[in-house]
Amino acid sequence: MPTPTLGATADGIFAEITSLEAHLAATFLQLREKLHHHLRQVEGQTAPGCPDGCEGSVKDEDDMIHAVYPDDDIESSIPSLKDLKAPMQDADDIMDCVHSDYNWERTRSSSSSVMAKAPLAPLKEPPALQLATQGRLLDLSHKTPEGVASLRARAVAQVSSMADADEIMDASEFRLHPRWIDLGNKSQHVLEATQRMRRRGKKKTSTSELEAALNMVKLSSLRSLTSQGIAGMVKMRRSFTVLNPNSMERLAWDVVGFFLIVIDAFVLPVSIAWDLPYSANDAAGMFLLVIFWITVTFWTVDVIINFNTGFYEGGRLQRRRLAVAWHYACTWLAFDTGLISLDFVTIASLLSEAETQTTDNSMLRSIRVLRILRGTRLLRLLKFSKLHSVIEEASIAAGKQWLVLVVAIFNTTFLMMACAHLLACFWYYVGRVRSDAGEQSWIDVVGATQVNSFVQYLHAFQWILTPPSPPQVHPASAGERMYCIAIFGIALVVIGSALSKITGTLDELRTINAEKTQKRRQVRQYLQSQGTPLELTSRIMRFVDYKLTRHASVDVDSHLISPSLHLELSVSQRGASLSPHPLFALTLQAFPDVFADVCAAVEHHVYGKSEVVFTIDQLAQAMYITWNGSFELMSDPREEEQDRVTGIHWYAEQSLFAEAVLHHATMRSVGFGDVYTLTGQQLGQVITSSPACCAMYVEYAKDLLDRLKSVKARGQVTQEEYESCSKTSCQDNKIYSDVYPDPKTILRAIRLQQDLGCAEEIISDMLAGKVRKDELPGQLQKVFPELHMEGSHALLSPPGERERSESSCLSLVALVCGNYEAFTEPQNEGSKLTKQQWSDLRCLVRRFRPSDDALQAILVLLASRSLGKSRRVLRQIPSYAQRPEQALLCLFKFYKNVVPSVELLTDESFRTIEATLELHQEFNLAQMLQGENVPASIYQLQEMINDKGEDVFKSYIIFLLGFMSGLAGGAGSRFMDAKNSQPVIHGLLTLQHVLDSSPRAIYWNYMTERGKQFLLPHDSPEDLALIRLACLARVQDKNGYKHMCSAWELLDISSRLVLVDSLLADGIETAALVFEFLPLCIEKAQANVHVGLHILLDVMVDLIGHMKAITHKLPKYAEKMMRVDLLDMAMFIEAVQSRFVFQTCISRCLLQFGDGRAYLKMSSYNWGRSREEDSDTTNLAYSMKELLQRHKFLQETVTCRSPEAQVTTGGDPGRKTRTPQISHTA
């Protein structure tokens, strides 16, 4: 073909290209048919379902081709290929000319007209499907018993060799422990039952459900069942804080009150004894006036604070406001209000005194009486007993013995001096009253009437401390003599009790030291008796001294302390070491009772100098939290550099939640150090009492392990990355968002800027190919603010979702513009998308390209699609819109500030998006690509397309192209490479017949194309079933198919019948079971050495039989297409370690029906036995079972090998099953 000139028209160019593509496709189709024809001729030399690896078979695909076409005949068999090579090169040059010299809109319209002239031919059902409709599922007539026995023996050896190769499992895998899976299921069951009870509002009828749920999890109490209640309680605690009586704030307030009481105790007696006035005329009066107003103000505020201070009742802190108010009213309220009332009477007396000095002197007598009432303020000294206990407890909490002794001596001395001060002032007051009455008092006797007040006080104070004998009082003063006698008695009691207390404190300290000395002596004697070396003895004694110094040397009788006080003691001792961890800090805020239980479960360990805490590559048994001391962390023992660790850090946290985790470093104590440990079993037992807390921990565990897997896949994980993953996983938790709501993530508060004026012009330029490749990401972020680095995805979506959404948009633009380089930029050279695959994708785009408005709407949808599955979004939208498509529509309608790109859409475009999302919700392309759905799903798609129109279907196909292209992210399409794009192309090419072919023809033509990709046979119903099973098993090459066939060969005839019948069911005419997450189950089974694919297939036969029995007994569940959720089973497969437990798990499972599907749930009994291992008895039983199965298989083969004995559908009459329990979910 000559090189086209610039004057060539676009119509002619595309007509030539289309003709060349059709000619080349027809040639390759002829080659493929000839190859299959020759392969079928040599099929007798190969094992069915096993194209290679068997006796007499060719080794690889190249051998097959050369076996059919010798080297000399390959080029001669297709002579047109050489002739087409040059025209195709010219076609590439033509496309370059088109893109450089012609307008894209004109070429698009021309290509559309060309494609419209080539209508698609309807698809036909494969001939093998007709045999299935006749009931001829298996054909064993051409197989001999000897050949079948040989194949089965080889299959057993194949599976055994696979098991031996995988026997050693990687202990560093972060796989969730069955304990947490079971706890998650139980807590979810309880929470769902509680929510149903609240929704229905029928407590009597729903209580039985809740009781059943509680019995399942064996809860001792139901605490905080919903996160809404948790958030409400936390908010209430923050809004109306009730102080802890032992908090630092309350302690500081009590210290201020103590100093004011001390001032009153010394100042008030002096002012009464010497009758000092409260006035501003002199310094003493001014001082008394200021102190009076300070104390009145303080004790008035103290009443309010007491109404906001909790109290301890039975060792438990009470913070309920009603209980706090009642407790204060019954204790100190009357006393405090009485004294405050007297203070206000004193204020009134001061005001009255000021008035009488200027107007009326007749009230002086009553004012003197009121002045005496000032002495009632001394009753506040009774509060000193409370402050004394607080000070004593604070000194004990400090843990210093000398401080306890100093505090005791100080308190005793202060009480003695205060008593002496009061007695001295009262002694002077007695003498002054007698002198004012005109009688001779002790003041006159000692000659102190003319000295100043300070000297008079010294006389009185000395008289109290060293009373003269005989007393220097007047013989006629009976009152003074009686006071002297009283002083002697008071001094005897006060001094005696003070000395007794000091002596008792010294004896107590001496006893404690004696116990420590005795323990130290016992250790020394033991070391001497054992002949311990001096160096080791010195180290041990230093360690003993450290432990005796920092830890209690005596044991406390546990019966003396209540369980609640034990928990509070544990919190006070270990809470400070746990609270820095983000998860435990969240537990403290949301579930304080659970946090106390966790503190009680933590174990304390003390390490001496150079002792190893844990070793690298050692199996982690617990989580380690460093508390005190210094440690060395060595990631590589060969390196001399070591990281020094001080303070609070945590290590091997994933061992709490995973099955097997290895330490990534070695930790050694530098000096003496304290470490706390917590095992997963201890943590699981603790949090069982709170279903909501269980759900929080399970959600955190799954997120943490997923993050650590992704981080470890990139290389060695550092301690900083471990702690960062813990923090991020906690912040993404649902309970965390309820307790600590982030204003930036509240949907109503998000504000994104968008320039609507130039958005449409930029989109038009991008679709026309006028924007350079390096400018596309920036232009996309400008047009779609959701994709900005600080946009909606950055605020709401998990990491990586923004990149995937951007990749979808970039890939779709590249497809529309025909930019192959931009589309394949992030792909590796070895697996890059081929030109033929690119041509197929471009053909789909040209055939299904919608209008420009619809294409713009699809870009808006791709830019924001991942927001619909964001957990931060789902928590803020109604419960009826929790599916991703529904959540995204809710954002489009009610939260346009989160997705401002919606403003670019017209009403018609918005309806197109709404219909596209509805199609995407009902039909899952990924499920079709891996054979997970059935033809009935395509039938539903046909019905929806007929209802919504062909334009919606076009938009849906284009959306699927962009959606699938962006699955792996990248500045283009990293996912749609040569390997991954082929199934997508096959699926979309068959879906384009959705309006002109039957669902069965579309579905099985796709399966047939997938089989042809690996040169698999497709002539019988069993072949089609194996192809679908290969799609479910995600087979990628011939070896994978060979391993799958080996597992298939281990099944008996009746089991194969059940599976073939189930795999070929269409859900339209015959009832079909759609097992969701079955590919995940197969993946987990192949990875688990104790399960394997053959055992999973055997269990699936049991499950199919159970489901048929249930639908037969309960007709209301009998539907043509029933979906069965196997997610819980997939997690069980990953954890189970016994073949027997897995093979019998169906009889112990639970079936829950709800939301139009059945949920297969593993019971607690299954999860409890998941860690059991096979014994000698079970291994012997397996061997006997294998012998019986071989004998049965040979009998069935002999019976069914005649041509007229084609095997039809049927069940296994010898298989004993027990129907699983059924529960209903609204």
Side-chain angles (χ1 to χ4, degrees):
M1 178 184 296
T3 304
T5 62
L6 295 178
T9 62
D11 293 341
I13 292 171
F14 276 100
E16 294 176 2
I17 293 174
T18 305
S19 176
L20 288 175
E21 290 179 350
H23 187 50
L24 183 61
T27 303
F28 277 108
L29 184 60
Q30 293 175 4
L31 173 61
R32 181 188 295 171
E33 292 299 330
K34 290 181 181 180
L35 181 60
H36 278 286
H37 175 70
H38 286 276
L39 285 175
R40 285 194 292 270
Q41 291 181 354
V42 298
E43 187 179 9
Q45 300 177 0
T46 60
C50 184
D52 62 345
C54 302
E55 184 177 357
S57 66
V58 291
K59 301 302 180 182
D60 54 19
E61 188 174 350
D62 294 334
D63 293 339
M64 288 183 180
I65 295 176
H66 290 287
V68 179
Y69 298 105
D71 293 337
D72 298 336
D73 297 336
I74 291 180
E75 294 185 359
S76 60
S77 61
I78 44 174
S80 58
L81 286 181
K82 291 184 176 180
D83 298 334
L84 289 175
K85 184 175 181 181
M88 289 306 299
Q89 182 64 39
D90 295 336
D92 293 336
D93 299 335
I94 292 173
M95 292 301 298
D96 294 337
C97 294
V98 169
H99 283 292
S100 60
D101 298 300
Y102 292 95
N103 183 272
W104 172 250
E105 291 294 330
R106 183 179 177 185
T107 58
R108 184 182 68 84
S109 62
S110 301
S111 62
S112 300
S113 63
V114 172
M115 296 299 296
K117 296 176 183 178
L120 298 173
L123 299 177
K124 297 181 180 180
E125 297 181 3
L129 209 58
Q130 299 298 327
L131 298 177
T133 58
Q134 300 172 9
R136 301 165 61 184
L137 299 182
L138 296 178
D139 184 9
L140 301 177
S141 58
H142 62 283
K143 298 180 181 180
T144 63
E146 294 80 5
V148 171
S150 176
L151 287 175
R152 183 174 177 84
R154 269 199 299 267
V156 173
Q158 177 100 14
V159 174
S160 301
S161 63
M162 292 171 59
D164 294 338
D166 296 334
E167 186 68 33
I168 301 176
M169 300 182 64
D170 187 6
S172 62
E173 290 183 358
F174 300 105
R175 185 168 54 245
L176 192 64
H177 197 281
R179 174 192 310 113
W180 295 101
I181 302 175
D182 189 25
L183 282 177
N185 293 335
K186 291 175 181 178
S187 59
Q188 182 180 5
H189 188 74
V190 174
L191 295 177
E192 289 177 353
T194 307
Q195 292 175 359
R196 289 198 301 271
M197 183 181 68
R198 293 181 177 180
R199 285 198 303 264
R200 295 173 185 174
K202 300 177 181 179
K203 296 183 179 180
K204 293 183 180 180
T205 58
S206 301
T207 302
S208 60
E209 297 181 3
L210 183 58
E211 290 178 353
L214 293 177
N215 292 332
M216 275 188 60
V217 295
K218 301 179 180 179
L219 296 179
S220 59
S221 61
L222 192 60
R223 311 173 188 169
S224 308
L225 284 177
T226 59
S227 59
Q228 290 83 358
I230 297 168
M233 288 189 298
V234 173
K235 291 178 181 178
M236 182 178 65
R237 288 202 300 264
R238 291 179 178 176
S239 301
F240 307 98
T241 303
V242 175
L243 294 175
N244 189 319
N246 295 329
S247 63
M248 294 301 298
E249 296 83 1
R250 180 65 199 191
L251 183 61
W253 183 263
D254 289 337
V255 169
V256 175
F258 169 75
F259 282 110
L260 290 179
I261 289 177
V262 170
I263 292 174
D264 270 348
F266 282 92
V267 174
L268 192 58
V270 173
S271 65
I272 294 175
W274 275 266
D275 195 16
L276 300 178
Y278 291 171
S279 65
N281 297 330
D282 55 354
M286 188 63 183
F287 175 76
L288 293 175
L289 188 62
V290 171
I291 291 299
F292 172 75
W293 282 107
I294 291 176
T295 54
V296 169
T297 303
F298 177 86
W299 295 114
T300 303
V301 176
D302 183 68
V303 173
I304 301 174
I305 291 181
N306 286 332
F307 274 111
N308 293 274
T309 303
F311 67 97
Y312 287 95
E313 183 178 16
R316 193 175 186 85
L317 179 62
Q318 299 291 339
R319 288 193 174 186
R320 292 181 294 111
R321 289 196 170 274
L322 184 60
V324 170
W326 178 254
H327 178 265
Y328 182 53
C330 296
T331 52
W332 289 96
L333 179 61
F335 179 80
D336 290 342
T337 53
L339 291 182
I340 292 175
S341 300
L342 292 177
D343 286 336
F344 282 102
V345 170
T346 304
I347 293 174
S349 68
L350 291 175
L351 297 176
S352 177
E353 182 179 353
E355 184 179 356
T356 54
Q357 288 177 356
T358 56
T359 58
D360 189 5
N361 293 327
S362 61
M363 300 178 63
L364 291 177
R365 186 180 300 274
S366 59
I367 291 174
R368 293 192 183 98
V369 175
L370 291 176
R371 286 181 179 177
I372 297 176
L373 293 178
R374 300 175 189 172
T376 56
R377 292 168 56 195
L378 292 174
L379 294 176
R380 287 201 176 95
L381 290 173
L382 296 176
K383 281 183 172 275
F384 182 78
S385 60
K386 176 184 176 182
L387 296 175
H388 172 73
S389 62
V390 171
I391 295 173
E392 185 177 1
E393 291 169 1
S395 61
I396 294 174
K400 303 295 184 181
Q401 297 182 7
W402 62 269
L403 183 60
V404 176
L405 179 61
V406 169
V407 169
I409 295 175
F410 173 78
N411 288 340
T412 304
T413 304
F414 174 78
L415 289 175
M416 292 173 58
M417 297 302 295
C419 290
H421 173 73
L422 289 174
L423 293 175
C425 291
F426 194 72
W427 175 240
Y428 181 81
Y429 178 77
V430 170
R432 186 177 64 81
V433 170
R434 185 174 178 82
S435 298
D436 292 344
E439 300 177 356
Q440 193 174 15
S441 66
W442 70 269
I443 301 175
D444 299 321
V445 173
V446 299
T449 54
Q450 301 300 324
V451 297
N452 57 35
S453 300
F454 179 70
V455 176
Q456 291 175 347
Y457 173 77
L458 292 178
H459 276 283
F461 196 76
Q462 181 186 7
W463 202 95
I464 296 299
L465 294 179
T466 57
S469 181
Q472 297 178 354
V473 297
H474 194 271
S477 179
E480 291 180 344
R481 289 191 179 274
M482 291 178 61
Y483 187 73
C484 291
I485 296 172
I487 287 175
F488 179 78
I490 293 172
L492 184 63
V493 172
V494 172
I495 296 176
S497 62
L499 293 176
S500 175
K501 186 169 184 178
I502 294 176
T503 304
T505 303
L506 291 174
D507 291 339
E508 183 179 356
L509 294 178
R510 191 179 298 111
T511 302
I512 295 175
N513 292 328
E515 292 176 354
K516 288 185 177 181
T517 303
Q518 181 181 2
K519 290 185 177 182
R520 196 173 187 277
R521 183 171 57 253
Q522 290 175 352
V523 174
R524 187 186 297 109
Q525 290 175 354
Y526 173 78
L527 296 177
Q528 290 176 354
S529 64
Q530 298 296 322
T532 309
L534 177 62
E535 188 271 338
L536 181 58
T537 301
S538 176
R539 288 168 49 199
I540 292 176
M541 294 308 301
R542 285 199 298 268
F543 182 80
V544 170
D545 292 338
Y546 172 79
K547 195 165 185 179
L548 290 176
T549 302
R550 290 192 54 85
H551 307 282
S553 59
V554 295
D555 296 328
V556 180
D557 188 359
S558 59
H559 298 287
L560 298 178
I561 305 177
S562 65
S564 60
L565 289 179
H566 262 299
L567 292 178
E568 294 186 24
L569 181 61
S570 301
V571 173
S572 66
Q573 293 173 342
R574 304 162 183 173
S577 61
L578 293 180
S579 56
H581 189 282
L583 179 61
F584 295 136
L586 178 60
T587 307
L588 175 61
Q589 288 294 328
F591 308 96
D593 294 338
V594 177
F595 180 77
D597 294 333
V598 173
C599 291
V602 168
E603 297 180 357
H604 178 248
H605 303 274
V606 180
Y607 293 91
K609 184 178 181 180
S610 300
E611 284 193 57
V612 176
V613 181
F614 52 79
T615 308
I616 189 172
D617 294 334
Q618 182 185 26
L619 193 64
Q621 301 291 343
M623 173 185 179
Y624 294 81
I625 303 176
T626 59
W627 168 238
N628 180 64
S630 180
F631 302 88
E632 291 179 348
L633 199 64
M634 297 172 290
S635 301
D636 189 351
R638 295 170 298 180
E639 297 181 358
E640 297 183 358
E641 297 184 0
Q642 301 172 353
D643 297 332
R644 183 66 62 92
V645 177
T646 57
I648 300 176
H649 297 277
W650 54 91
Y651 303 89
E653 179 192 1
Q654 62 272 25
S655 65
L656 297 176
F657 311 110
E659 287 188 4
V661 177
L662 298 179
H663 287 292
H664 66 282
T666 298
M667 176 176 282
R668 182 181 290 108
S669 177
V670 176
F672 295 111
D674 298 89
V675 176
Y676 291 107
T677 60
L678 179 65
T679 64
Q681 183 178 4
Q682 293 171 337
L683 183 61
Q685 293 174 351
V686 163
I687 66 173
T688 307
S689 58
S690 175
C693 188
C694 281
M696 180 186 77
Y697 271 77
V698 172
E699 179 186 354
Y700 172 83
K702 293 179 180 178
D703 196 6
L704 175 66
L705 294 182
D706 289 341
R707 292 180 187 276
L708 290 177
K709 285 180 183 178
S710 60
V711 172
K712 190 171 183 179
R714 299 193 297 264
Q716 188 68 25
V717 188
T718 62
Q719 180 60 26
E720 291 75 14
E721 289 176 326
Y722 274 108
E723 296 183 0
S724 176
C725 288
S726 300
K727 183 178 180 181
T728 307
S729 301
C730 185
Q731 291 176 349
D732 289 343
N733 196 276
K734 185 177 186 299
I735 303 297
Y736 186 91
S737 62
D738 293 333
V739 177
Y740 305 102
D742 187 1
K744 297 181 180 179
T745 60
I746 298 176
L747 297 182
R748 295 292 183 187
I750 295 177
R751 294 292 182 269
L752 301 179
Q753 300 295 330
Q754 183 185 29
D755 187 2
L756 297 177
C758 61
E760 295 185 0
E761 181 181 355
I762 294 176
I763 294 176
S764 299
D765 292 341
M766 286 191 298
L767 296 178
K770 298 180 180 179
V771 181
R772 292 189 307 177
K773 182 177 62 175
D774 57 339
E775 296 178 353
L776 270 177
Q779 295 295 330
L780 278 175
Q781 295 178 16
K782 183 178 181 181
V783 176
F784 306 114
E786 301 89 346
L787 299 177
H788 197 271
M789 292 299 180
E790 298 178 357
S792 301
H793 287 291
L795 296 174
L796 302 172
S797 298
E801 290 298 333
R802 191 204 69 83
E803 181 188 0
R804 282 188 278 272
S805 297
E806 185 178 75
S807 174
S808 298
C809 296
L810 292 173
S811 301
L812 183 58
V813 171
L815 277 172
V816 172
C817 298
N819 194 337
Y820 173 79
E821 298 299 330
F823 187 85
T824 60
E825 180 180 357
Q827 299 178 9
N828 297 325
E829 289 296 331
S831 60
K832 183 176 288 189
L833 187 75
T834 64
K835 291 289 185 177
Q836 178 61 40
Q837 292 170 335
W838 172 252
S839 176
D840 292 337
L841 292 176
R842 291 279 297 129
C843 180
L844 287 170
V845 172
R846 290 196 298 267
R847 180 175 293 276
F848 292 102
R849 174 167 176 168
S851 63
D852 290 343
D853 289 341
L855 197 57
Q856 179 174 308
I858 293 172
L859 287 175
V860 172
L861 182 58
L862 292 174
S864 56
R865 63 173 179 83
S866 61
L867 292 173
K869 57 184 180 181
S870 170
R871 286 183 290 183
R872 295 179 179 179
V873 172
L874 296 177
R875 293 165 188 165
Q876 303 181 56
I877 61 177
S879 57
Y880 61 81
Q882 292 297 304
R883 297 194 63 175
E885 295 80 11
Q886 297 170 348
L888 193 57
L889 279 178
C890 184
L891 292 179
F892 286 164
K893 293 179 180 179
F894 306 109
Y895 298 96
K896 294 183 179 180
N897 57 306
V898 179
V899 282
S901 302
V902 181
E903 301 293 344
L904 298 172
L905 304 179
T906 62
D907 294 340
E908 183 178 356
S909 299
F910 186 82
R911 286 191 293 270
T912 300
I913 279 186
E914 193 172 4
T916 302
L917 285 175
E918 188 174 349
L919 286 179
H920 190 58
Q921 177 178 331
E922 298 300 329
F923 179 79
N924 193 323
L925 177 65
Q927 289 184 351
M928 175 184 167
L929 296 181
Q930 59 187 5
E932 197 172 354
N933 56 14
V934 293
S937 303
I938 301 179
Y939 176 76
Q940 293 178 350
L941 179 64
Q942 285 180 337
E943 293 294 322
M944 296 182 67
I945 293 174
N946 292 330
D947 179 53
K948 300 183 180 301
E950 187 176 356
D951 292 338
V952 175
F953 178 61
K954 291 181 179 180
S955 300
Y956 177 60
I957 293 296
I958 299 300
F959 165 74
L960 287 179
L961 280 173
F963 171 73
M964 299 299 295
S965 299
L967 286 180
S973 177
R974 184 179 290 117
F975 177 79
M976 293 284 281
D977 56 8
K979 178 181 178 181
N980 296 327
S981 64
Q982 198 60 40
V984 178
I985 293 174
H986 285 328
L988 294 178
L989 286 177
T990 52
L991 276 183
Q992 66 182 345
H993 295 274
V994 72
L995 297 178
D996 56 35
S997 303
S998 67
R1000 287 160 53 95
I1002 296 173
Y1003 186 85
W1004 289 110
N1005 269 276
Y1006 166 72
M1007 290 297 169
T1008 304
E1009 289 296 324
R1010 288 294 305 274
K1012 291 178 181 179
Q1013 181 181 355
F1014 300 114
L1015 302 178
L1016 305 181
H1018 53 275
D1019 300 325
S1020 67
E1022 186 181 12
D1023 293 337
L1024 295 182
L1026 285 174
I1027 291 175
R1028 185 184 173 194
L1029 184 60
C1031 293
L1032 288 168
R1034 298 167 182 167
V1035 171
Q1036 300 293 334
D1037 51 24
K1038 293 180 295 182
N1039 290 330
Y1041 182 77
K1042 180 177 63 176
H1043 294 158
M1044 187 197 73
C1045 290
S1046 299
W1048 181 265
E1049 293 292 341
L1050 292 177
L1051 300 175
D1052 53 39
I1053 301 299
S1054 57
S1055 298
R1056 295 190 197 180
L1057 275 174
V1058 174
L1059 289 175
V1060 171
D1061 183 49
S1062 177
L1063 290 171
L1064 297 183
D1066 55 16
I1068 303 174
E1069 298 176 359
T1070 58
L1073 295 173
V1074 179
F1075 293 106
E1076 297 177 341
F1077 300 103
L1078 180 57
L1080 182 61
C1081 292
I1082 296 176
E1083 177 186 347
K1084 301 295 184 184
Q1086 291 176 332
N1088 191 340
V1089 67
H1090 305 287
V1091 180
L1093 180 58
H1094 63 291
I1095 297 181
L1096 174 63
L1097 293 177
D1098 194 55
V1099 172
M1100 291 303 299
V1101 173
D1102 285 341
L1103 179 58
I1104 293 171
H1106 286 311
M1107 295 303 301
K1108 290 183 177 180
I1110 289 173
T1111 54
H1112 179 72
K1113 293 179 181 179
L1114 301 175
K1116 66 177 181 178
Y1117 294 125
E1119 300 178 357
K1120 283 295 184 181
M1121 184 178 66
M1122 176 181 291
R1123 298 183 180 273
V1124 184
D1125 190 301
L1126 301 182
L1127 180 60
D1128 204 45
M1129 182 178 178
M1131 302 177 71
F1132 182 74
I1133 293 173
E1134 187 179 25
V1136 70
Q1137 296 185 0
S1138 171
R1139 286 182 290 174
F1140 175 77
V1141 172
F1142 179 67
Q1143 283 182 320
T1144 58
C1145 68
I1146 298 298
S1147 61
R1148 298 185 298 270
C1149 69
L1150 301 172
L1151 275 176
Q1152 298 178 358
F1153 289 88
D1155 300 331
R1157 52 176 42 86
Y1159 295 88
L1160 185 69
K1161 297 291 185 181
M1162 294 293 128
S1163 63
S1164 299
Y1165 186 76
N1166 276 334
W1167 286 114
R1169 299 189 61 185
S1170 62
R1171 305 295 294 170
E1172 292 184 6
E1173 297 182 356
D1174 288 326
S1175 61
D1176 294 338
T1177 304
T1178 57
N1179 291 330
L1180 180 61
Y1182 294 144
S1183 301
M1184 295 298 297
K1185 181 179 179 181
E1186 173 60 25
L1187 291 176
L1188 292 175
Q1189 285 182 344
R1190 287 187 184 183
H1191 180 69
K1192 179 182 177 182
F1193 188 81
L1194 290 176
Q1195 285 183 336
E1196 291 175 335
T1197 305
V1198 171
T1199 304
C1200 301
R1201 67 185 299 265
S1202 61
E1204 62 275 5
Q1206 300 281 345
V1207 182
T1208 59
T1209 58
D1212 184 0
R1215 185 184 295 272
K1216 296 182 180 180
T1217 60
R1218 185 171 65 120
T1219 304
Q1221 304 177 26
I1222 303 175
S1223 61
H1224 308 271
T1225 304

